[in-house]
Amino acid sequence: MSALICGSMAYDTIMVFHDKFKHHILPEKIHILNVSFLVPVMRREFGGCAGNIAYNLKLLAEEPLIMATVGHDFEPYAQWLAQNQLSSEFIQILDNHYTGQAYITTDEEANQITAFHPGAMNSSHLNSVPTDRQISIGIVSPDGKEGMQLHAEQFAELDIPFIFDPGQGMPMFNGEELLKFIDQATWMTLNDYESELMQERTGLSLEQMAERVDALIITLGAQGSQIYTHGECITIPAAKPKAILDPTGCGDAYRAGLLYGLMNELDWETTGRVASLMGAIKIEHNGTQNHAFDMDGFKQRYHDNFGSSL
């Protein structure tokens, strides 16, 4: 089975603020916000939702295919993908653009302020879901607006089941557009903030959204996650990380776990726990693609966390 991962590829510039944002942002002065954060720690990493999801799915011994548009500066990332045996077959290079650039500042409470330059990502509609490959499952993650709409339509037309993962791209869409995504998608995943925004924009409750898809997955950070499916809500406990170093990319790791469970026809209780453990492993490492494991070690950690075998 092959998974087509539609979404952004980006370079992440990650900065660490050794304090808490709330000590420096005055709520009563938010309308005239002018703050500066000293960030003595800075790293440049490979990132982007599609790159992160694919990297994590590869760790789970699957063969993801990335579909994305990138810029003239992509060569170092291309070398990284090749080093990790990830295909670049469906990545299109646009010479007049930069690859997406994310500038992320994280405080001591794992709160984040992000600025994102989309670059070539805005032209993601230049790619089409391939019809000559045995794509068994897909995911539409944050990308250019037109690209997200096009690829959702193409998955639906080709009868390829897919996850709708609007993430940071949700503000681009109005309620009517989001409702169309929901009706096209097989599954949908949101974090707790995104779920509130989705309810506000569509006018649907979580239960009503869940009626329109096979499963609605809501991640709740350290509180675990909830999976709404077939009229019930399954509570998934959070896996325990050995350390908490960097939350950037945890959601993408979680989504790779969802894809793994779906590709291997696991039940939702198991799929959710695989996804939870993926997020915990990621948060133990700085950056979004610097963690690694073998499947034997992953299965042992699964047993240690949840008391059952994978």
Side-chain angles (χ1 to χ4, degrees):
M1 299 178 73
S2 295
L4 186 67
I5 316 299
C6 305
S8 62
M9 302 289 284
Y11 292 108
D12 291 342
T13 300
I14 302 171
M15 296 160 281
V16 180
F17 177 51
H18 291 161
D19 201 341
K20 300 173 183 178
F21 292 144
K22 65 184 180 183
H23 293 162
H24 301 266
I25 298 176
L26 304 176
E28 67 276 10
K29 299 292 185 182
I30 197 71
H31 62 292
I32 54 170
L33 186 64
N34 187 357
V35 294
S36 176
F37 302 112
L38 179 65
V39 287
V41 176
M42 187 181 84
R43 307 182 315 279
R44 194 168 190 240
E45 308 279 3
F46 300 116
C49 295
N52 296 340
I53 293 169
Y55 178 85
N56 283 281
L57 193 54
K58 183 70 175 182
L59 290 179
L60 289 166
E62 299 294 347
E63 294 298 329
L65 298 171
I66 301 168
M67 190 167 77
T69 44
V70 299
H72 57 78
D73 56 344
F74 188 65
E75 181 56 28
Y77 206 150
Q79 293 177 7
W80 171 253
L81 294 179
Q83 179 182 328
N84 287 279
Q85 299 181 320
L86 284 161
S87 172
S88 298
E89 180 180 357
F90 299 110
I91 297 175
Q92 185 174 169
I93 297 175
L94 305 179
D95 290 335
N96 295 326
H97 296 273
Y98 285 103
T99 300
Q101 311 277 332
Y103 298 89
I104 305 163
T105 304
T106 302
D107 76 356
E108 290 181 339
E109 294 183 320
N111 297 306
Q112 294 184 320
I113 297 174
T114 301
F116 186 74
H117 170 68
M121 187 189 81
N122 275 344
S123 298
S124 60
H125 57 278
L126 298 178
N127 283 328
S128 294
V129 174
T131 58
D132 58 347
R133 296 292 292 271
Q134 293 183 330
I135 306 298
S136 56
I137 192 171
I139 183 169
V140 174
S141 61
D143 210 347
K145 180 177 180 178
E146 291 181 65
M148 292 178 72
Q149 292 172 314
L150 176 65
H151 301 148
E153 289 175 3
Q154 291 174 340
F155 278 133
E157 290 169 358
L158 294 168
D159 201 27
I160 298 173
F162 75 96
I163 298 173
F164 176 46
D165 169 29
Q168 304 97 321
M170 192 184 300
M172 296 188 294
F173 303 104
N174 60 33
E176 182 179 347
E177 291 166 331
L178 291 169
L179 286 171
K180 185 175 181 180
F181 277 119
I182 294 171
D183 289 336
Q184 291 169 328
T186 316
W187 312 278
M188 181 165 64
T189 182
L190 309 164
N191 65 26
D192 50 352
Y193 175 79
E194 293 158 2
S195 71
E196 294 290 337
L197 185 58
M198 181 70 80
Q199 291 177 82
E200 178 184 309
R201 295 207 170 179
T202 64
L204 298 179
S205 66
L206 294 180
E207 291 76 14
Q208 289 172 321
M209 282 187 266
E211 291 174 356
R212 298 191 180 207
V213 292
D214 286 358
L216 169 64
I217 302 97
I218 309 295
T219 59
L220 304 169
Q223 284 69 53
S225 51
Q226 295 177 323
I227 300 176
Y228 295 79
T229 182
H230 300 298
E232 65 174 325
C233 179
I234 302 169
T235 298
I236 304 297
K240 296 178 181 178
K242 297 176 181 178
I244 299 176
L245 293 185
D246 182 2
T248 311
C250 287
D252 295 330
Y254 185 99
R255 282 143 183 76
L258 293 180
L259 286 168
Y260 174 84
L262 291 165
M263 294 171 75
N264 289 277
E265 299 182 348
L266 304 179
D267 59 46
W268 280 111
E269 288 84 355
T270 305
T271 296
R273 284 165 170 78
V274 169
S276 177
L277 181 55
M278 288 298 293
I281 292 172
K282 203 314 305 169
I283 207 171
E284 297 167 354
H285 300 80
N286 288 316
T288 59
Q289 299 180 29
N290 293 324
H291 52 295
F293 55 78
D294 59 40
M295 285 304 295
D296 287 340
F298 186 83
K299 290 176 180 179
Q300 183 60 52
R301 285 199 62 174
Y302 184 96
H303 182 272
D304 293 343
N305 270 271
F306 305 116
S308 58
S309 298
L310 178 61

